[in-house]
Amino acid sequence: QVQLVESGGASVQAGGSLGLSCVSQGDEGSTNCMAWFRQAPGQEFEWVAGPVTRSGIIRYSDPVKNRFTATQDNTKNALYLEMSGLKPEDSAMYVCAARRSSDRWCGTDYNNYAYRGQGTQVTVS
């Protein structure tokens, strides 16, 4: 089993910065992909950042590109998300998710990520 534990969510003012952390605990062999998603009230889950392929190269969704930076520390089974230039539209529950992919693709579809954390709330006003 895998447990994902997120931390770092908070309420911040527009233009501010915030850092999120996600640590994967449990059976490390069960997953080989991690990503950040977010869900605003009444909205679907939206992929935010993560390796799209198992090469480990981090990609970003267009709304957060050039403002967010994700880093992965495989030694700690962790995925971090540094957010700057925050906007009210960034307000959401941020969820860390993980999956085991059988091919080179990690993908951006939340439904394909079998393991999800409980989320951490980010509110920008």
Side-chain angles (χ1 to χ4, degrees):
Q1 269 291 21
V2 173
Q3 280 190 317
L4 300 171
V5 181
E6 305 104 329
S7 61
S11 295
V12 298
Q13 290 189 335
S17 300
L18 200 59
L20 306 182
S21 298
C22 171
V23 177
S24 175
Q25 301 172 338
D27 184 3
E28 298 171 13
S30 294
T31 65
N32 53 19
C33 295
M34 292 179 74
W36 283 104
F37 293 83
R38 67 185 182 184
Q39 186 181 35
Q43 302 295 316
E44 298 288 326
F45 276 99
E46 172 192 17
W47 174 79
V48 175
V52 177
T53 69
R54 290 175 53 196
S55 67
I57 298 174
I58 302 289
R59 304 294 185 190
Y60 302 89
S61 66
D62 286 343
V64 309
K65 199 174 295 183
N66 299 319
R67 297 188 298 120
F68 290 12
T69 301
T71 55
Q72 192 163 11
D73 185 341
N74 292 326
T75 65
K76 298 180 180 179
N77 295 313
L79 182 67
Y80 306 100
L81 187 67
E82 292 294 326
M83 306 180 291
S84 63
L86 283 162
K87 305 175 181 180
E89 52 263 44
D90 293 318
S91 297
M93 180 71 74
Y94 283 71
V95 177
C96 176
R99 64 170 294 196
R100 180 159 188 84
S101 174
S102 59
D103 56 30
R104 62 186 291 264
W105 298 102
C106 288
T108 61
D109 188 343
Y110 183 74
N111 293 318
N112 291 334
Y113 283 74
Y115 303 100
R116 298 115 178 225
Q118 291 190 327
T120 186
Q121 180 68 39
V122 173
T123 303
V124 186
S125 58

